Amino acid sequence: MNIVKPQTIAGVMELLPEDQLAFDYIKNIIEETFLSYQFLPIDTPAIEKNDILFAKGGGETEKQIFGIDSSKKDMSLRFDLTVPLARYVSEHFSDLNFPFKRYQIAKVYRGERNQKGRYKEFYQCDIDIIGNNSLSIHNDALLPKVIYEIFQKLDFNGIKFHINNRKLLNGFFESLEISDKEEVLRTIDKKAKIGEENTKELLVEICGEEKADKLMELINNKRENKELLTYLESLNLNDNYKIGLNELKEVYDYMIKFGIDDDSIMIDLSITRGLDYYTSTVYETFLDGYESIGSVCSGGRYENLAGNFSKQNLPGVGLSIGLTRLFYQFQQLGLVEKYKTKFTDCLVIPMDEKLNFYAIDIANKLKEQGLKVDIYLEDGKFKKKINYADKIGVKKVLIIGQEEYENKMVSVKNMEDGKQVSVKVEEIREYL
């Protein structure tokens, strides 16, 4: 019999139990916060029909898709949670209440090139608010508040939301009579990666030196938020620009009203985000002091989420945390340790098989009292049993020998300092 080498494929994350506990702790914080703001859970299938996934046109997405090997060849694994959301809202439109606030935490699949921090299978944590025909721009300020609270709970007090408005950008392009808006947006979107000089060179190629200079002046504007808004208002450009500016101002004002510090908001005119989706507000989110991680949460507003699946006009706004990539970055920076939760409060060790039933009774009573209790029922010498307790990281061990059994006591060993004391059975919970 040939032994197959056990190994995962490249581009997937598989964790040891203590790291999985830390991962789940972060995921639970995210989910609990989503629920606390009355976002409702949905769970769409990992497999969708190809005509759903490619409704907006394949392009680069189609090259990264994982198809399902079936006779019909018409199914693939989802590559994000937004397209399934569009299908879901269209399909269940008559059963939903609008505005529809939903969250989904699930795995998505992409044929990414093998490199550190890029995954073929990864968790996305999405929240969206969907309207029927209309959706107040004020909702665009609520989503950052939810994310703000999540990272506060994860002990990151310094968080920065970079926000912009695509209508404002498009209006500015119109004022310069730029015809190839999408190419300009793509170039601006790459600025953080390719640098200012290369961005300027590309913009000159697209629209000429004079217009490139004005674009660079706009996207490099580093005024404080209120001062920048005043400056943008003074330009007094076309209607599209004014609508975008008014929306940007309202989102900013409401973010402050929701309790986000002004220091945590940066109006950043270089933020463009997904060209296929977003039509108004766009966000990128960074952690102060950990900018090397990159954006930890991004998203924006789309005017018609489900235009490919329904005649209903369904505008929405959404934000997404790429949890798997974020956890990988936390690992690289040594930030995971603080999220490793205490899985077991104590381990009960009977010293002889004849004492197993008694040990189980004690473990059951402690569980009923709310403690997380494990019991070691394997044979072996005491050293083997205590080594097991040490390896699983338990802090307290309840040792039950014949003497403890006869006196209705347990010996409690503190694994951190090695000290051991005798405690009456009825006082174990209080002692622990």
Side-chain angles (χ1 to χ4, degrees):
M1 174 180 167
N2 292 327
I3 300 296
V4 178
K5 183 180 179 180
Q7 59 182 355
T8 58
I9 64 169
V12 298
M13 177 180 279
E14 188 173 74
L15 302 170
L16 291 173
E18 62 175 9
D19 282 330
Q20 189 65 54
L21 283 170
F23 185 94
D24 290 346
Y25 173 84
I26 296 171
K27 182 157 68 76
N28 290 339
I29 289 288
I30 294 170
E31 183 164 26
E32 288 166 8
T33 309
F34 287 170
L35 284 166
S36 74
Y37 281 87
Q38 281 68 60
F39 286 83
L40 301 172
I42 68 170
D43 184 18
T44 60
I47 301 171
E48 293 277 0
K49 289 180 174 292
N50 286 342
D51 58 357
I52 297 292
L53 294 176
F54 302 140
K56 294 191 76 148
E60 287 300 312
T61 298
E62 191 165 351
K63 294 176 185 177
Q64 291 189 322
I65 209 79
F66 280 108
I68 302 297
D69 189 9
S70 66
S71 58
K72 292 186 177 180
K73 305 288 185 185
D74 64 347
M75 298 175 289
S76 298
L77 294 174
R78 64 189 173 206
F79 58 85
D80 73 1
L81 299 178
T82 305
V83 173
L85 171 64
R87 191 266 309 151
Y88 182 95
V89 174
S90 301
E91 188 172 349
H92 301 286
F93 176 81
S94 61
D95 298 314
L96 300 176
N97 296 312
F98 294 90
F100 175 53
K101 296 170 66 176
R102 93 58 160 116
Y103 81 85
Q104 185 171 3
I105 299 174
K107 288 180 177 179
V108 299
Y109 302 87
R110 294 181 193 173
E112 293 279 8
R113 286 191 303 110
N114 293 336
Q115 53 183 309
K116 287 184 177 180
R118 306 293 291 185
Y119 291 93
K120 291 181 172 69
E121 175 190 72
F122 55 98
Y123 272 98
Q124 290 282 108
C125 308
D126 285 17
I127 43 172
D128 290 81
I129 306 176
I130 312 299
N132 181 8
N133 289 319
S134 65
L135 183 71
S136 169
I137 193 69
H138 305 146
N139 289 289
D140 296 25
L142 174 62
L143 298 191
K145 171 61 176 176
V146 179
I147 303 302
Y148 185 72
E149 187 170 312
I150 286 169
F151 282 98
Q152 282 187 321
K153 290 176 180 176
L154 293 174
D155 296 326
F156 289 100
N157 293 320
I159 182 170
K160 187 86 74 179
F161 294 99
H162 291 232
I163 65 169
N164 195 8
N165 188 288
R166 288 278 290 275
K167 291 176 186 173
L168 183 151
L169 282 182
N170 286 332
F172 191 82
F173 298 160
E174 289 167 13
S175 74
L176 296 180
E177 298 182 343
I178 291 173
S179 55
D180 199 346
K181 296 176 187 175
E182 284 203 4
E183 195 58 36
V184 170
L185 282 170
R186 284 193 183 90
T187 302
I188 293 172
D189 192 44
K190 292 187 286 189
K191 177 174 173 281
K193 291 181 180 178
I194 66 176
E196 190 168 326
E197 189 175 326
N198 290 329
T199 303
K200 171 71 180 295
E201 287 180 10
L202 291 173
L203 289 175
V204 170
E205 289 178 16
I206 298 167
C207 56
E209 184 85 34
E210 184 179 349
K211 293 177 182 179
D213 283 338
K214 290 182 179 179
L215 286 168
M216 292 301 293
E217 182 183 353
L218 180 78
I219 65 178
N220 284 333
N221 201 312
K222 302 301 181 188
R223 289 177 169 91
E224 295 293 325
N225 293 325
K226 290 179 181 177
E227 185 184 348
L228 179 54
L229 288 170
T230 300
Y231 164 75
L232 293 172
E233 198 165 26
S234 72
L235 298 182
N236 196 27
L237 302 179
N238 50 57
D239 288 345
N240 204 11
Y241 175 90
K242 290 176 181 176
I243 291 169
L245 177 56
N246 286 335
E247 288 182 350
L248 184 60
K249 287 167 64 178
E250 287 207 56
V251 173
Y252 169 73
D253 287 342
Y254 271 77
M255 285 175 72
I256 297 290
K257 191 63 180 175
F258 274 122
I260 300 175
D261 292 335
D262 191 38
D263 288 343
S264 294
I265 306 169
M266 178 180 177
I267 297 173
D268 185 346
L269 302 172
S270 68
I271 298 295
T272 60
R273 292 291 311 144
L275 306 185
D276 293 336
Y277 280 149
Y278 303 118
T279 54
S280 180
T281 306
V282 283
Y283 323 84
E284 295 276 11
T285 312
F286 300 86
L287 299 176
D288 292 349
Y290 299 99
E291 286 80 6
S292 62
I293 292 177
S295 177
V296 298
C297 178
S298 57
R301 172 176 279 250
Y302 32 84
E303 291 308 320
N304 191 2
L305 171 73
N308 294 302
F309 311 125
S310 171
K311 293 181 180 179
Q312 302 289 341
N313 180 35
L314 302 171
V317 60
L319 272 171
S320 178
I321 299 173
L323 179 56
T324 303
R325 179 183 173 276
L326 180 64
F327 189 81
Y328 167 81
Q329 295 287 352
F330 283 178
Q331 284 181 314
Q332 298 303 299
L333 293 168
L335 301 176
V336 171
E337 199 64 35
K338 62 182 176 180
Y339 303 124
K340 292 183 179 179
T341 57
K342 188 171 65 170
F343 186 65
T344 307
D345 290 315
C346 61
L347 176 69
V348 179
I349 297 180
M351 297 304 296
D352 188 284
E353 187 178 340
K354 293 182 293 185
L355 301 170
N356 283 357
F357 282 9
Y358 181 65
I360 291 170
D361 286 341
I362 290 176
N364 286 343
K365 286 176 183 176
L366 293 175
K367 281 178 177 291
E368 290 169 5
Q369 293 170 351
L371 288 176
K372 293 177 282 188
V373 185
D374 196 6
I375 185 166
Y376 188 88
L377 296 173
E378 302 302 310
D379 292 331
K381 294 182 178 180
F382 178 69
K383 185 177 180 181
K384 176 186 174 183
K385 298 180 179 186
I386 213 71
N387 280 344
Y388 174 81
D390 189 46
K391 286 179 179 178
I392 67 170
V394 70
K395 304 302 183 189
K396 298 286 194 303
V397 175
L398 308 187
I399 302 165
I400 301 172
Q402 188 63 33
E403 184 178 341
E404 283 83 5
Y405 170 72
E406 291 173 357
N407 295 314
K408 304 301 180 191
M409 305 281 285
V410 296
S411 292
V412 181
K413 184 178 180 67
N414 187 324
M415 295 298 291
E416 293 180 305
D417 60 17
K419 293 180 180 178
Q420 188 168 311
V421 297
S422 293
V423 179
K424 292 180 180 179
V425 169
E426 63 270 20
E427 295 175 359
I428 298 173
R429 177 67 179 86
E430 184 180 350
Y431 177 81
L432 292 176

Coordinates of all heavy atoms in Angstrom, one line a residue, residues 392-424:
I392 N -1.6 21.1 26.6 CA -2.8 21.7 26.1 C -3.0 23.1 26.8 O -4.0 23.8 26.5 CB -4.1 20.8 26.4 CG1 -4.3 20.7 27.9 CG2 -4.0 19.5 25.7 CD1 -5.7 20.0 28.2
G393 N -2.1 23.5 27.6 CA -2.1 24.8 28.2 C -3.1 25.1 29.3 O -3.5 26.2 29.5
V394 N -3.6 24.0 29.9 CA -4.6 24.2 31.0 C -3.9 24.8 32.2 O -2.7 24.5 32.5 CB -5.3 22.9 31.3 CG1 -4.4 21.9 32.0 CG2 -6.5 23.1 32.1
K395 N -4.6 25.7 32.9 CA -3.9 26.4 34.1 C -4.1 25.6 35.4 O -3.2 25.7 36.3 CB -4.5 27.8 34.2 CG -4.4 28.6 33.0 CD -3.0 28.8 32.5 CE -3.0 29.8 31.3 NZ -1.6 29.8 30.7
K396 N -5.2 24.9 35.5 CA -5.5 24.2 36.8 C -5.8 22.7 36.5 O -6.5 22.4 35.6 CB -6.7 24.8 37.5 CG -6.5 26.3 38.0 CD -5.5 26.4 39.1 CE -5.6 27.8 39.8 NZ -5.4 28.9 38.8
V397 N -5.2 21.8 37.3 CA -5.4 20.4 37.2 C -6.0 19.9 38.5 O -5.5 20.2 39.6 CB -4.1 19.6 36.9 CG1 -4.4 18.1 36.9 CG2 -3.6 20.1 35.5
L398 N -7.1 19.1 38.4 CA -7.8 18.5 39.6 C -7.4 17.1 39.7 O -7.8 16.3 38.8 CB -9.3 18.7 39.5 CG -9.9 20.1 39.2 CD1 -11.4 20.0 39.4 CD2 -9.3 21.1 40.2
I399 N -6.5 16.7 40.6 CA -6.0 15.4 40.8 C -6.8 14.6 41.8 O -7.0 15.1 42.9 CB -4.5 15.4 41.2 CG1 -3.7 16.2 40.2 CG2 -3.9 14.0 41.3 CD1 -2.3 16.7 40.7
I400 N -7.3 13.4 41.4 CA -8.1 12.6 42.3 C -7.5 11.2 42.5 O -7.4 10.4 41.5 CB -9.5 12.5 41.7 CG1 -10.2 13.8 41.5 CG2 -10.4 11.6 42.6 CD1 -11.5 13.8 40.8
G401 N -6.9 11.0 43.6 CA -6.4 9.7 44.0 C -7.3 9.1 45.1 O -8.3 9.6 45.4
Q402 N -6.9 8.0 45.6 CA -7.7 7.2 46.6 C -7.9 8.1 47.8 O -9.0 8.1 48.4 CB -7.0 5.9 46.9 CG -7.8 5.0 47.8 CD -9.1 4.5 47.1 OE1 -9.1 4.3 45.9 NE2 -10.2 4.4 47.9
E403 N -6.9 8.8 48.3 CA -7.0 9.6 49.5 C -8.0 10.7 49.3 O -8.8 11.0 50.1 CB -5.6 10.1 49.8 CG -5.6 10.9 51.2 CD -4.2 11.4 51.5 OE1 -3.2 10.9 51.0 OE2 -4.2 12.4 52.3
E404 N -7.9 11.4 48.1 CA -8.9 12.5 47.8 C -10.3 11.9 47.8 O -11.2 12.5 48.3 CB -8.5 13.1 46.4 CG -7.3 14.1 46.5 CD -6.0 13.3 46.4 OE1 -6.0 12.1 46.2 OE2 -5.0 14.0 46.5
Y405 N -10.4 10.7 47.2 CA -11.8 10.1 47.1 C -12.4 9.8 48.4 O -13.5 10.2 48.7 CB -11.7 8.8 46.3 CG -12.9 8.0 46.3 CD1 -14.0 8.4 45.6 CD2 -12.9 6.8 47.0 CE1 -15.2 7.6 45.6 CE2 -14.1 6.0 47.0 CZ -15.2 6.4 46.3 OH -16.4 5.6 46.3
E406 N -11.6 9.3 49.3 CA -12.0 8.9 50.6 C -12.4 10.1 51.5 O -13.3 10.1 52.3 CB -11.0 8.1 51.4 CG -10.8 6.7 50.7 CD -9.7 5.9 51.3 OE1 -8.9 6.5 52.2 OE2 -9.5 4.7 51.0
N407 N -11.7 11.2 51.3 CA -11.9 12.5 52.1 C -12.7 13.5 51.4 O -12.9 14.6 51.9 CB -10.5 13.1 52.5 CG -9.7 12.2 53.4 OD1 -10.2 11.6 54.3 ND2 -8.4 12.0 53.0
K408 N -13.3 13.1 50.3 CA -14.2 14.1 49.5 C -13.4 15.4 49.2 O -14.0 16.5 49.4 CB -15.5 14.4 50.2 CG -16.3 13.1 50.6 CD -16.7 12.3 49.3 CE -17.5 11.1 49.7 NZ -17.6 10.2 48.5
M409 N -12.2 15.2 48.8 CA -11.3 16.3 48.4 C -10.8 16.2 47.0 O -10.9 15.1 46.4 CB -10.1 16.4 49.4 CG -10.5 16.4 50.9 SD -11.0 18.0 51.5 CE -9.4 18.9 51.5
V410 N -10.2 17.2 46.5 CA -9.4 17.1 45.3 C -8.1 17.9 45.5 O -8.1 18.8 46.3 CB -10.1 17.7 44.0 CG1 -11.3 16.9 43.7 CG2 -10.4 19.1 44.2
S411 N -7.0 17.5 44.8 CA -5.8 18.2 44.9 C -5.8 19.1 43.6 O -5.8 18.6 42.5 CB -4.6 17.3 44.9 OG -4.5 16.6 46.1
V412 N -5.6 20.4 43.8 CA -5.6 21.4 42.7 C -4.2 21.8 42.5 O -3.6 22.4 43.3 CB -6.5 22.6 43.0 CG1 -6.6 23.5 41.8 CG2 -8.0 22.1 43.3
K413 N -3.7 21.5 41.3 CA -2.3 21.9 40.9 C -2.4 23.1 40.0 O -3.0 23.0 39.0 CB -1.6 20.7 40.2 CG -0.1 21.0 39.9 CD 0.5 19.7 39.3 CE 2.0 20.0 38.9 NZ 2.8 20.2 40.2
N414 N -1.7 24.1 40.4 CA -1.5 25.3 39.5 C -0.4 25.1 38.6 O 0.8 25.0 39.0 CB -1.2 26.5 40.4 CG -1.3 27.8 39.6 OD1 -0.8 27.9 38.5 ND2 -1.8 28.9 40.2
M415 N -0.7 25.0 37.3 CA 0.3 24.6 36.3 C 1.3 25.8 36.0 O 2.4 25.5 35.4 CB -0.3 24.2 35.0 CG -1.2 22.9 35.1 SD -0.1 21.5 35.6 CE 0.8 21.2 34.1
E416 N 0.9 27.0 36.5 CA 1.8 28.1 36.2 C 3.0 28.2 37.2 O 4.1 28.5 36.9 CB 1.0 29.4 36.2 CG 0.0 29.4 35.0 CD -0.8 30.7 34.9 OE1 -1.4 31.0 35.9 OE2 -0.7 31.4 33.9
D417 N 2.6 27.9 38.5 CA 3.7 28.0 39.5 C 4.0 26.7 40.2 O 4.9 26.6 41.0 CB 3.3 29.1 40.6 CG 2.0 28.7 41.3 OD1 1.6 27.6 41.2 OD2 1.5 29.6 42.0
G418 N 3.3 25.6 39.8 CA 3.6 24.3 40.3 C 3.1 24.0 41.7 O 3.2 22.9 42.2
K419 N 2.4 25.0 42.3 CA 1.9 24.8 43.7 C 0.6 23.9 43.7 O -0.1 23.9 42.7 CB 1.6 26.2 44.3 CG 2.8 27.0 44.6 CD 2.4 28.3 45.2 CE 3.7 29.2 45.5 NZ 3.4 30.5 46.1
Q420 N 0.4 23.2 44.8 CA -0.7 22.2 44.8 C -1.4 22.4 46.2 O -0.7 22.4 47.2 CB -0.2 20.8 44.6 CG -1.2 19.8 44.5 CD -0.7 18.5 44.0 OE1 0.1 18.4 43.0 NE2 -1.0 17.4 44.6
V421 N -2.7 22.4 46.2 CA -3.4 22.6 47.5 C -4.6 21.6 47.5 O -5.1 21.2 46.4 CB -4.0 24.0 47.7 CG1 -2.8 25.0 47.8 CG2 -4.9 24.4 46.6
S422 N -5.1 21.2 48.6 CA -6.2 20.3 48.8 C -7.5 21.2 49.0 O -7.4 22.1 49.8 CB -6.0 19.4 49.9 OG -5.0 18.4 49.7
V423 N -8.5 20.8 48.3 CA -9.8 21.6 48.3 C -10.9 20.7 48.5 O -11.0 19.6 47.8 CB -9.9 22.5 47.1 CG1 -11.2 23.3 47.1 CG2 -8.8 23.4 46.8
K424 N -11.9 21.1 49.4 CA -13.1 20.2 49.5 C -13.9 20.3 48.2 O -13.9 21.3 47.5 CB -14.0 20.8 50.6 CG -13.4 20.6 52.0 CD -14.3 21.2 53.1 CE -13.7 21.0 54.5 NZ -14.5 21.6 55.5

